[in-house]
Amino acid sequence: MKRYIIAALLLLPLAGWSKVPDEEDILNNIMNISSPYYYTGLMMRYNNLEKLSEEDYHYLYYGYAYQDEYKPLASNPAIERLYETLMRLDTSSPDPEEMRYVISMCEEALKSDPFNPTALNMLVFAYGALGDKEKEEAYFRHLNGILETIKSSGDGRNEKDPMHILMFSHAVDVVSSMGYAGKRAEIVSRNVEYIPLEQPKKTPDGKIRGFYFDYSRIYRNKPDDVTFKKKRTWQFNNLKPREYK
């Protein structure tokens, strides 16, 4: 089944911050009740749409892999219904009733995947269309924080320095958020997949042909009776860029 995503928001620039996930460090912090990154408190702040730091998002995102709720290969019917809605959505003239339906689907989808960039992105769009500036900007901060956390976890330009993801769909969202169209993703090892670009991008450091992503956290949570296919396909459908200053 083809998946449609509305992404391409202009994200806030990185301040040179990067951090490859350290599993021992993450566990020590999210399980320590005296730590500012104690997971229960972090998730409560996230759900309350509070402003979070880069470090907060780092422990929040990668700490989720140790929560009982983390089931990366479980079905998420709400996100599938959201994708179906996006295929027929008129983004130039959004209908308020349809926007409220989108919000309900996003909220339901986030129960299974609380950091799903597609759902966060559509909450930004829907609340903006409804004129709720406060929630629009709050979900934009969350969207930006999650995407930048993933992008800061590795260069992604080679197999030995991949970006780290909790869900396969997150990798596609990251590529799309950077303004690239990806081809079919391919699993190249037990821990890493590769998303080649439809059009390689020339940069001062050389040509970018695609990006590598570490999916080992998904693999650690894979049921014995589930196997991975070599290739998967997504399709993109972008909104006009939006930027907050």
Side-chain angles (χ1 to χ4, degrees), residues 37-147:
Y37 310 115
Y38 180 58
Y39 205 81
T40 300
L42 268 184
M43 183 59 81
M44 184 178 299
R45 294 171 58 204
Y46 177 79
N47 289 334
N48 288 339
L49 302 181
E50 296 182 23
K51 291 184 178 180
L52 304 177
S53 69
E54 293 167 331
E55 289 277 355
D56 289 335
Y57 283 114
H58 173 81
Y59 289 102
L60 186 67
Y61 184 75
Y62 294 111
Y64 189 61
Y66 296 98
Q67 308 307 306
D68 292 338
E69 296 80 9
Y70 178 54
K71 296 179 174 60
L73 295 174
S75 62
N76 191 340
I79 201 70
E80 297 300 336
R81 291 197 296 273
L82 179 61
Y83 289 136
E84 293 172 1
T85 301
L86 302 190
M87 288 188 282
R88 60 177 185 271
L89 186 65
D90 182 1
T91 60
S92 62
S93 182
D95 176 72
E97 184 176 349
E98 190 169 38
M99 290 299 96
R100 284 188 283 271
Y101 175 77
V102 166
I103 289 171
S104 68
M105 286 299 96
C106 290
E107 291 175 343
E108 186 65 27
L110 291 176
K111 291 179 181 179
S112 299
D113 182 3
F115 313 115
N116 184 286
T118 299
L120 293 173
N121 190 17
M122 285 311 303
L123 284 169
V124 175
F125 177 73
Y127 277 116
L130 292 175
D132 190 332
K133 189 71 171 179
E134 183 177 352
K135 287 188 176 179
E136 178 189 24
E137 293 188 1
Y139 280 111
F140 177 79
R141 290 194 303 269
H142 278 353
L143 171 64
N144 187 71
I146 295 303
L147 290 175

